[in-house]
Amino acid sequence: MRIRLLGELEAVLNDVSITPTAAKPRQVLALLALNAGRIVSVQSLVEELWGHHPPPSVRTTLQTYILQLRKLIDSALPANSKHTAKDILVTRFDGYLLDIVPENVDVCSYERLVKAGQQALARGDHESVSSLLGTALAKWQSRALVDVRIGLLLSLEVARLEESRLNALEVRIAADIQLGRHQSVLSELTVLTAQQPMHENLCAHYMVSLYRSGRQWQALQAYKTLRNTLNRELGVEPSLRLRRLQQAVLRSEAGLDVLVEPVPDPARATNA
């Protein structure tokens, strides 16, 4: 079974789509897939689906959703299969487990690549950082679980994944700048700084890329835009690092560099 969560929800088994159409079974599948190979307790599923207001027949209703998912799985299994849906979506003591290879879930393979990128960064191997994180980021189709109704647990997972995505993107761009690819990241940074107008790391990358591309005045304008936004929205000044970068641009210093921040290790994140 292959499951995609980094965009629209999609589950495929034996080249047959088994993606549920009803909202709550989609939530159940998403939470189980994010925890592939691990037990998800009934309590966690109930909290995701109904929050603090579960229906009186909550366990029966949940079992109905599990049954719907198993029917979809069964529909994609060959007639002579030795396995049944219950072998894939397994009942455990007070919980359920999706017994598939975690790497077949795009989130798991994404996080493996991000971790490898972090290790390459620690070695100072910018070429590998760019390649590994570029491959990781290519797994994203749009916002995580964009077409799934999400409750408390999935909303936390989506927030974690989106933060991871932005961090990985920052570091991949910084690695490309270190490799002299400052012009190739300019259009990307133009969009990102517009989307994240108070994000200092992205602004720093943008300033350095503009400066190294011979566009000093635009680098200074990027700083001014950030400063005005921070003043207006938060009443604060840019960090000392950004102010020093602005002064370096004003002095036309050669070899402007940018600090590459480590990628957070997804393994340390708290899972639902």
Side-chain angles (χ1 to χ4, degrees), residues 110 112-138 165-179 181 185 205 259-264:
Y110 161 77
R112 176 185 58 80
L113 287 163
V114 169
K115 185 174 183 179
Q118 181 185 31
Q119 293 167 344
L121 180 62
R123 299 192 305 269
D125 183 356
H126 299 296
E127 191 68 60
S128 292
V129 171
S130 177
S131 176
L132 288 163
L133 295 186
T135 303
L137 291 163
R165 180 189 192 184
L166 183 57
N167 288 339
L169 187 56
E170 285 181 51
V171 178
R172 197 226 78 219
I173 288 172
D176 284 337
I177 294 172
Q178 294 283 5
L179 293 165
R181 300 169 185 163
V185 300
H205 296 334
L259 179 65
V260 181
E261 300 290 349
V263 186

Side-chain angles (χ1 to χ4, degrees), residues 36-54:
R38 300 191 299 269
I39 297 172
V40 179
S41 69
V42 167
Q43 180 180 350
S44 294
L45 288 163
V46 169
E47 185 176 3
E48 168 59 29
L49 293 171
W50 295 286
H52 300 298
H53 304 286

